[in-house]
Amino acid sequence: MRKDKILVIGANGQIGTVLTQALREKYGNDNVLATDIRTSEQLNEPFEILDILDGEGLSNIVKKHDITQIYHLAAILSANGEKNPRRTWDINMSGLFNVLEVAKEQSLDKVFFPSSIAVFGTHTPKEKTPQFTFLDPATIYGISKAAGENWCQYYFDKYQLDVRSIRYPGVISYQSMPGGGTTDYAVDIFHKAVQGIDFECFLSENTRLPMIYMPDTIRATLELMEAPREKIKVRSSYNLAAITFSPAEIAKAIQQHFPNFKISYNPDFRQAIADSWPASIDDSEARNDWNWKEEYNIHQMTQDMISQLSKKYNLIP
Ligand code: NAD
Ligand code: SER
């Protein structure tokens, strides 16, 4: 068995910042190389600049550091993606393609590719969306993730590449800010609430979307990646569920801590994106195949977000 050496691509993002830290705690600081197209003060060494569109640069890094696993997080998310669809397609698709090729060419042990609830569309069942269903994504981000899932399946079938994937719900975190998605409001609302600022939501009050707290996101990712190979039956991407709520419901949960907190609604172009996504997810396959189970419900998450952000802003909750 060769030693695990991990490469994280897109490590400076909302998930990468926290996942890189968790991987370093597990595998040892020096065995986890963080890379991104931009630097950040939040990540320690080892760090290298890498543009995922630079396939040769990626290949050289993998060789130089004897990388055995890649966590490929770099992408343009749903809302930002709509601003420049062609570039979003290039980064999300060519980026994944570079990763899959280098993993095949250099016989890597494993690859992680995050997909999203954005692969679903207006013709997908909205409640308890099944694992295997019609995919008609409405955004270029969703189109690229759905195509990416199929590429992962293809590389597994054709080259036996051990690539694993989760369709993350909207991720909520206190450690890092989200990078231009449709679920970003559910992070911003906490920042406003703890600072005593009223919140104007870009989605309408009853728009229910699947969400997940960051500790559950990280645990799900590590549990999927550590599961025995034969347990992983879905090689496109696993549905994953944790919490579902609307802006009105999360505001109500926050008001239990801050009774004076006020929310108003001013839906913008992101409303149409949210309307095309499921409200809840059936993740039976993840639960059966690798024993997924969330730990945080809406109230536990709210309590922890408020307590952590209050510390961050030096406020007493
Ligand atoms: P993010 O936008 O916060 O981070 C993405 C990172 O990729 C950024 O640090 C950015 O600098 C980097 N990046 C962009 N272009 C790059 C390039 N050409 N080369 C190298 N790096 C580049 O995103 P995130 O929320 O951390 O998401 C990580 C992954 O998880 C993405 O693939 C995203 O689609 C997926 N995902 C996220 C969520 C969520 O709610 N955050 C939900 C579903 C899926
Ligand atoms: N949370 C992400 C977004 O809103 C979904 O992948 O774009």
Side-chain angles (χ1 to χ4, degrees):
M1 274 272 286
R2 55 183 177 169
K3 191 174 168 192
D4 294 312
K5 290 287 297 282
I6 294 172
L7 173 64
V8 184
I9 301 167
N12 281 341
Q14 184 193 8
I15 297 172
T17 306
V18 188
L19 183 62
T20 301
Q21 186 55 34
L23 288 166
R24 284 180 172 166
E25 279 161 24
K26 190 164 188 60
Y27 292 94
N29 193 77
D30 293 348
N31 295 321
V32 180
L33 174 65
T35 64
D36 202 288
I37 200 167
R38 61 189 169 99
T39 53
S40 138
E41 282 169 12
Q42 265 189 294
L43 278 178
N44 299 328
E45 296 288 326
F47 175 85
E48 286 193 28
I49 291 285
L50 172 67
D51 181 343
I52 194 50
L53 296 179
D54 176 9
E56 200 182 327
L58 169 65
S59 176
N60 290 338
I61 283 183
V62 168
K63 262 194 214 111
K64 180 170 123 198
H65 295 276
D66 295 320
I67 296 298
T68 62
Q69 297 186 29
I70 296 180
Y71 287 70
H72 171 46
L73 306 177
I76 308 299
L77 274 69
S78 61
N80 272 354
E82 293 305 290
K83 294 175 191 159
N84 191 340
R86 181 60 207 258
R87 178 150 178 80
T88 302
W89 175 258
D90 284 346
I91 291 176
N92 294 4
M93 283 323 304
S94 303
L96 173 63
F97 210 64
N98 285 341
V99 169
L100 293 173
E101 272 300 292
V102 84
K104 174 177 71 109
E105 294 298 327
Q106 300 194 36
S107 305
L108 300 200
D109 293 340
K110 285 180 207 169
V111 172
F112 177 73
F113 166 68
S115 186
S116 163
I117 53 169
V119 295
F120 301 118
T122 42
H123 294 88
T124 311
K126 259 210 159 334
E127 294 292 344
K128 287 269 164 206
T129 304
Q131 173 69 52
F132 299 106
T133 185
F134 197 72
L135 302 184
D136 59 345
T139 57
I140 191 63
Y141 171 71
I143 293 171
S144 70
K145 288 292 182 185
E149 290 185 1
N150 286 328
W151 274 114
C152 290
Q153 177 81 57
Y154 185 87
Y155 270 71
F156 174 73
D157 290 340
K158 188 117 178 161
Y159 310 115
Q160 292 77 51
L161 180 66
D162 191 353
V163 48
R164 306 178 180 198
S165 176
I166 290 174
R167 291 170 176 157
Y168 288 139
V171 177
I172 296 163
S173 62
Y174 62 86
Q175 301 95 326
S176 47
M177 292 305 281
T182 303
T183 56
D184 293 14
Y185 89 85
V187 176
D188 197 20
I189 192 171
F190 283 101
H191 285 263
K192 296 290 186 305
V194 296
Q195 295 179 87
I197 301 171
D198 292 348
F199 180 67
E200 185 180 275
C201 187
F202 59 73
L203 296 184
S204 65
E205 65 179 310
N206 295 321
T207 308
R208 287 167 63 246
L209 289 173
M211 302 280 186
I212 186 170
Y213 196 31
M214 184 63 93
D216 277 339
T217 310
I218 301 302
R219 193 169 50 76
T221 308
L222 297 181
E223 285 177 4
L224 172 73
M225 290 300 276
E226 283 158 11
R229 186 181 168 115
E230 64 278 8
K231 293 267 183 201
I232 308 303
K233 306 274 197 279
V234 176
R235 288 296 181 165
S236 48
S237 189
Y238 274 100
N239 274 10
L240 195 86
I243 318 170
T244 276
F245 58 77
S246 65
E249 286 164 338
I250 193 68
K252 201 168 158 208
I254 290 172
Q255 281 158 350
Q256 290 177 10
H257 301 261
F258 298 108
N260 295 329
F261 174 65
K262 287 195 183 55
I263 182 167
S264 57
Y265 303 94
N266 187 11
D268 65 15
F269 73 100
R270 289 166 282 195
Q271 183 65 46
I273 299 177
D275 287 342
S276 74
W277 289 355
S280 64
I281 299 287
D282 178 352
D283 62 351
S284 309
E285 277 78 3
R287 287 174 200 264
N288 291 335
D289 292 357
W290 44 279
N291 299 324
W292 161 246
K293 188 171 179 1
E294 77 284 0
E295 281 178 0
Y296 286 84
N297 64 28
I298 187 171
H299 299 292
Q300 291 160 319
M301 179 194 74
T302 300
Q303 165 82 55
D304 198 50
M305 279 294 284
I306 289 174
S307 142
Q308 298 289 351
L309 286 177
S310 299
K311 280 187 223 154
K312 203 167 184 159
Y313 288 110
N314 285 323
L315 302 163
I316 310 294

